Amino acid sequence: MRRKVVFLQDNMIDENERVIFEADIPYVVENGFIENEDGLKVSVESIWVDFHLVHQKSQ
């Protein structure tokens, strides 16, 4: 089975200057969304920093 993983090139920062998604950490794409450790979900289409989308084989 293959899965999609997003690697952000820069940190995503919210309006309060908090980092909500960190760069260079693999975020699994589920139903078009990534989720951080606090449960915040963002659609892949709404990511506002450059990123790489990688297709990985599950083991």
Side-chain angles (χ1 to χ4, degrees):
M1 183 172 182
R2 296 174 63 112
R3 65 182 188 162
K4 295 178 185 176
V5 179
V6 167
F7 289 90
L8 304 177
Q9 291 185 356
D10 296 304
N11 291 340
M12 284 179 59
I13 299 172
D14 69 7
E15 63 275 354
N16 296 316
E17 300 294 319
R18 291 185 327 212
V19 175
I20 55 174
F21 289 92
E22 294 182 48
D24 300 320
I25 293 182
Y27 294 99
V28 176
V29 178
E30 294 182 4
N31 298 318
F33 289 83
I34 60 172
E35 184 175 356
N36 69 8
E37 60 276 357
D38 296 327
L40 176 65
K41 291 184 179 182
V42 173
S43 73
V44 173
E45 296 172 353
S46 299
I47 296 174
W48 58 85
V49 297
D50 291 335
F51 65 91
H52 296 286
L53 179 63
V54 178
H55 296 265
Q56 295 180 333
K57 288 185 180 180
S58 299
Q59 299 174 349

